[in-house]
Amino acid sequence: MEKDERARIRTGDPLAFGQLFDQYARSVYNHAFRLTGNWSTAEDVVALTFLEAWRLRAKVDLDGGSLRPWLLGIATNAARNTARAARRHEAAIARLPRDEIMPDFADELVGRIDDTERLAAARAALTTLRRSEREVFTLCVWAGLDYGGAAQALGIPVGTVRSRLARARKKLQKLTDAALSVKNREPQFGCGQVEGGRNTAARPTQEETR
Protein backbone atom coordinates (compact mmCIF):
# COMPACT_ATOMS: atom_id res chain seq x y z
CA MET A 1 0.00 0.00 0.00
CA GLU A 2 1.39 3.38 -0.98
CA LYS A 3 2.25 6.03 1.58
CA ASP A 4 -0.43 8.37 0.22
CA GLU A 5 -3.15 5.76 0.75
CA ARG A 6 -2.01 5.15 4.32
CA ALA A 7 -2.01 8.89 4.97
CA ARG A 8 -5.58 9.16 3.69
CA ILE A 9 -6.70 6.32 5.94
CA ARG A 10 -4.98 7.96 8.93
CA THR A 11 -6.85 11.21 8.31
CA GLY A 12 -10.21 9.43 8.02
CA ASP A 13 -10.79 9.77 4.28
CA PRO A 14 -14.08 7.86 3.73
CA LEU A 15 -13.18 6.95 0.15
CA ALA A 16 -9.81 5.51 1.16
CA PHE A 17 -11.41 3.54 3.98
CA GLY A 18 -14.09 2.25 1.63
CA GLN A 19 -11.39 1.02 -0.71
CA LEU A 20 -9.69 -0.69 2.22
CA PHE A 21 -12.93 -2.48 3.03
CA ASP A 22 -13.51 -3.54 -0.57
CA GLN A 23 -10.00 -4.92 -0.82
CA TYR A 24 -9.84 -6.90 2.42
CA ALA A 25 -13.39 -7.60 3.67
CA ARG A 26 -13.46 -10.99 1.97
CA SER A 27 -10.15 -12.01 3.55
CA VAL A 28 -11.30 -10.85 6.99
CA TYR A 29 -14.59 -12.72 6.55
CA ASN A 30 -12.92 -16.01 5.63
CA HIS A 31 -10.45 -15.68 8.51
CA ALA A 32 -13.30 -14.96 10.95
CA PHE A 33 -15.24 -18.01 9.79
CA ARG A 34 -12.22 -20.25 10.20
CA LEU A 35 -11.77 -19.01 13.76
CA THR A 36 -15.44 -19.16 14.78
CA GLY A 37 -16.90 -21.93 12.62
CA ASN A 38 -20.09 -19.92 12.16
CA TRP A 39 -21.04 -17.77 9.17
CA SER A 40 -23.29 -15.42 11.10
CA THR A 41 -20.67 -14.84 13.77
CA ALA A 42 -18.07 -14.25 11.05
CA GLU A 43 -20.23 -11.45 9.64
CA ASP A 44 -20.35 -9.85 13.08
CA VAL A 45 -16.57 -10.12 13.37
CA VAL A 46 -16.12 -8.37 10.01
CA ALA A 47 -18.26 -5.47 11.16
CA LEU A 48 -16.41 -5.22 14.47
CA THR A 49 -13.05 -5.42 12.70
CA PHE A 50 -13.65 -2.46 10.43
CA LEU A 51 -15.28 -0.42 13.18
CA GLU A 52 -12.17 -1.00 15.30
CA ALA A 53 -9.90 -0.27 12.34
CA TRP A 54 -11.66 3.05 11.89
CA ARG A 55 -11.17 3.83 15.59
CA LEU A 56 -7.48 2.92 15.37
CA ARG A 57 -6.84 4.55 11.97
CA ALA A 58 -4.51 7.18 13.46
CA LYS A 59 -2.11 4.40 14.47
CA VAL A 60 -1.56 3.24 10.88
CA ASP A 61 2.12 3.70 9.98
CA LEU A 62 2.77 5.91 7.00
CA ASP A 63 5.37 3.47 5.70
CA GLY A 64 4.73 -0.20 5.06
CA GLY A 65 3.14 -2.72 2.75
CA SER A 66 -0.24 -4.38 2.87
CA LEU A 67 -2.58 -3.56 5.75
CA ARG A 68 -3.97 -7.10 5.61
CA PRO A 69 -1.92 -8.39 8.59
CA TRP A 70 -3.07 -5.40 10.65
CA LEU A 71 -6.72 -6.09 9.80
CA LEU A 72 -6.43 -9.83 10.46
CA GLY A 73 -4.87 -9.04 13.84
CA ILE A 74 -7.86 -6.86 14.70
CA ALA A 75 -10.19 -9.62 13.45
CA THR A 76 -8.46 -12.17 15.67
CA ASN A 77 -9.05 -9.98 18.72
CA ALA A 78 -12.66 -9.38 17.66
CA ALA A 79 -13.21 -13.14 17.37
CA ARG A 80 -11.79 -13.63 20.86
CA ASN A 81 -14.11 -11.01 22.30
CA THR A 82 -17.09 -12.45 20.43
CA ALA A 83 -16.31 -15.93 21.75
CA ARG A 84 -16.10 -14.61 25.32
CA ALA A 85 -19.44 -12.84 24.91
CA ALA A 86 -20.99 -16.03 23.52
CA ARG A 87 -19.73 -18.05 26.48
CA ARG A 88 -21.21 -15.52 28.90
CA HIS A 89 -24.50 -15.67 27.02
CA GLU A 90 -24.52 -19.47 27.06
CA ALA A 91 -23.78 -19.46 30.78
CA ALA A 92 -26.69 -17.09 31.36
CA ILE A 93 -29.00 -19.28 29.26
CA ALA A 94 -27.90 -22.36 31.20
CA ARG A 95 -29.10 -20.71 34.42
CA LEU A 96 -32.60 -20.20 33.03
CA PRO A 97 -35.41 -22.74 33.61
CA ARG A 98 -35.27 -25.36 30.85
CA ASP A 99 -38.87 -25.18 29.66
CA GLU A 100 -37.85 -25.76 26.05
CA ILE A 101 -34.81 -26.94 24.14
CA MET A 102 -32.62 -24.18 22.76
CA PRO A 103 -31.83 -24.48 19.05
CA ASP A 104 -28.34 -25.72 18.17
CA PHE A 105 -26.29 -24.20 15.34
CA ALA A 106 -24.58 -27.55 14.63
CA ASP A 107 -26.94 -28.47 11.77
CA GLU A 108 -26.31 -25.12 10.10
CA LEU A 109 -22.56 -25.52 10.52
CA VAL A 110 -22.48 -29.07 9.14
CA GLY A 111 -24.48 -27.97 6.12
CA ARG A 112 -22.15 -25.11 5.30
CA ILE A 113 -18.56 -26.24 5.86
CA ASP A 114 -16.54 -27.83 3.09
CA ASP A 115 -17.99 -31.22 2.19
CA THR A 116 -14.84 -33.36 2.26
CA GLU A 117 -14.11 -35.88 4.96
CA ARG A 118 -10.53 -34.74 5.53
CA LEU A 119 -11.37 -31.06 5.84
CA ALA A 120 -14.27 -31.88 8.14
CA ALA A 121 -11.97 -33.97 10.31
CA ALA A 122 -9.29 -31.25 10.26
CA ARG A 123 -11.88 -28.60 11.18
CA ALA A 124 -13.00 -30.71 14.15
CA ALA A 125 -9.41 -31.32 15.17
CA LEU A 126 -8.63 -27.60 14.90
CA THR A 127 -11.11 -26.80 17.64
CA THR A 128 -9.14 -28.99 20.06
CA LEU A 129 -5.93 -27.00 19.68
CA ARG A 130 -4.92 -24.28 22.07
CA ARG A 131 -6.25 -20.90 21.01
CA SER A 132 -2.75 -19.56 20.36
CA GLU A 133 -1.96 -22.48 18.04
CA ARG A 134 -5.30 -22.24 16.28
CA GLU A 135 -4.83 -18.53 15.57
CA VAL A 136 -1.36 -19.02 14.12
CA PHE A 137 -2.55 -21.92 11.97
CA THR A 138 -5.51 -20.02 10.51
CA LEU A 139 -3.35 -16.97 9.75
CA CYS A 140 -0.44 -18.85 8.15
CA VAL A 141 -2.17 -21.78 6.47
CA TRP A 142 -5.65 -20.59 5.60
CA ALA A 143 -5.18 -16.82 5.42
CA GLY A 144 -1.80 -17.23 3.71
CA LEU A 145 0.25 -14.83 5.81
CA ASP A 146 3.99 -15.42 6.09
CA TYR A 147 5.66 -15.70 9.49
CA GLY A 148 6.30 -11.96 9.61
CA GLY A 149 2.73 -11.08 8.74
CA ALA A 150 1.31 -13.46 11.33
CA ALA A 151 3.72 -12.09 13.93
CA GLN A 152 2.56 -8.56 13.11
CA ALA A 153 -1.11 -9.58 13.28
CA LEU A 154 -0.76 -11.24 16.68
CA GLY A 155 1.91 -8.97 18.17
CA ILE A 156 4.31 -11.81 18.90
CA PRO A 157 7.89 -12.67 17.77
CA VAL A 158 8.42 -14.51 14.49
CA GLY A 159 10.10 -17.36 16.37
CA THR A 160 6.95 -17.86 18.42
CA VAL A 161 4.88 -18.05 15.24
CA ARG A 162 7.20 -20.74 13.87
CA SER A 163 7.08 -22.89 17.00
CA ARG A 164 3.30 -22.60 17.42
CA LEU A 165 2.69 -23.42 13.78
CA ALA A 166 4.96 -26.47 13.96
CA ARG A 167 3.08 -27.75 17.02
CA ALA A 168 -0.29 -27.06 15.41
CA ARG A 169 0.61 -28.89 12.20
CA LYS A 170 1.88 -31.92 14.11
CA LYS A 171 -1.19 -32.12 16.34
CA LEU A 172 -3.64 -31.61 13.45
CA GLN A 173 -2.01 -34.32 11.34
CA LYS A 174 -2.19 -36.79 14.21
CA LEU A 175 -5.78 -35.93 15.19
CA THR A 176 -7.07 -35.85 11.61
CA ASP A 177 -5.51 -39.20 10.70
CA ALA A 178 -6.90 -40.74 13.88
CA ALA A 179 -10.41 -39.40 13.19
CA LEU A 180 -10.39 -40.69 9.60
CA SER A 181 -9.07 -44.05 10.72
CA VAL A 182 -11.96 -44.45 13.16
CA LYS A 183 -14.47 -43.32 10.54
CA ASN A 184 -13.18 -45.83 7.99
CA ARG A 185 -13.64 -48.65 10.50
CA GLU A 186 -17.28 -47.73 11.18
CA PRO A 187 -20.02 -49.72 9.36
CA GLN A 188 -21.65 -47.73 6.56
CA PHE A 189 -25.45 -47.44 6.41
CA GLY A 190 -27.92 -45.77 4.11
CA CYS A 191 -26.61 -47.25 0.85
CA GLY A 192 -29.96 -46.56 -0.76
CA GLN A 193 -29.61 -42.78 -0.44
CA VAL A 194 -31.14 -40.93 -3.36
CA GLU A 195 -28.52 -39.38 -5.60
CA GLY A 196 -28.37 -35.63 -5.23
CA GLY A 197 -30.13 -35.72 -1.87
CA ARG A 198 -27.13 -34.33 -0.07
CA ASN A 199 -26.88 -30.60 0.47
CA THR A 200 -24.06 -28.79 -1.28
CA ALA A 201 -21.72 -27.21 1.23
CA ALA A 202 -20.94 -23.53 1.02
CA ARG A 203 -17.25 -22.72 0.89
CA PRO A 204 -15.28 -19.66 1.85
CA THR A 205 -14.71 -17.53 -1.20
CA GLN A 206 -11.25 -17.07 -2.64
CA GLU A 207 -9.18 -14.52 -0.78
CA GLU A 208 -7.13 -11.70 -2.15
CA THR A 209 -3.65 -11.60 -0.72
CA ARG A 210 -2.49 -8.27 -2.03
Side-chain angles (χ1 to χ4, degrees), residues 101-128:
I101 299 175
M102 299 300 296
D104 192 346
F105 70 87
D107 290 339
E108 175 189 353
L109 176 60
V110 170
R112 289 173 178 251
I113 60 176
D114 195 294
D115 192 26
T116 67
E117 291 184 358
R118 175 161 289 277
L119 185 55
R123 182 70 183 85
L126 186 65
T127 63
T128 68

Side-chain angles (χ1 to χ4, degrees), residues 25-37 42 45 68 71-73 75-77 79 134-140 142-143 154 204 207:
R26 179 185 299 173
S27 183
V28 171
Y29 180 73
N30 287 345
H31 178 60
F33 171 72
R34 289 157 182 162
L35 286 177
T36 65
V45 170
R68 186 166 173 262
L71 289 171
L72 293 184
T76 300
N77 287 331
R134 185 168 63 250
E135 291 171 351
V136 166
F137 183 87
T138 56
L139 285 170
C140 291
W142 278 339
L154 296 173
E207 297 181 7

Side-chain angles (χ1 to χ4, degrees), residues 41-64:
T41 304
E43 291 176 352
D44 293 339
V45 170
V46 172
L48 291 170
T49 296
F50 282 94
L51 283 173
E52 185 67 1
W54 175 262
R55 190 180 70 83
L56 299 175
R57 63 190 184 280
K59 295 185 178 181
V60 171
D61 292 333
L62 289 178
D63 296 313

Side-chain angles (χ1 to χ4, degrees), residues 100-196:
E100 58 182 42
I101 299 175
M102 299 300 296
D104 192 346
F105 70 87
D107 290 339
E108 175 189 353
L109 176 60
V110 170
R112 289 173 178 251
I113 60 176
D114 195 294
D115 192 26
T116 67
E117 291 184 358
R118 175 161 289 277
L119 185 55
R123 182 70 183 85
L126 186 65
T127 63
T128 68
L129 297 183
R130 293 180 178 177
R131 187 187 69 186
S132 58
E133 295 169 345
R134 185 168 63 250
E135 291 171 351
V136 166
F137 183 87
T138 56
L139 285 170
C140 291
V141 177
W142 278 339
L145 293 187
D146 58 16
Y147 293 133
Q152 178 186 344
L154 296 173
I156 58 178
V158 171
T160 302
V161 172
R162 290 178 183 272
S163 61
R164 288 182 184 177
L165 181 59
R167 288 197 303 270
R169 285 182 184 276
K170 185 175 181 180
K171 290 180 181 179
L172 280 176
Q173 183 68 48
K174 182 178 179 180
L175 292 170
T176 301
D177 289 346
L180 290 174
S181 177
V182 170
K183 182 176 180 61
N184 290 335
R185 291 200 301 268
E186 293 177 351
Q188 301 297 316
F189 301 99
C191 296
Q193 181 179 1
V194 177
E195 183 177 357

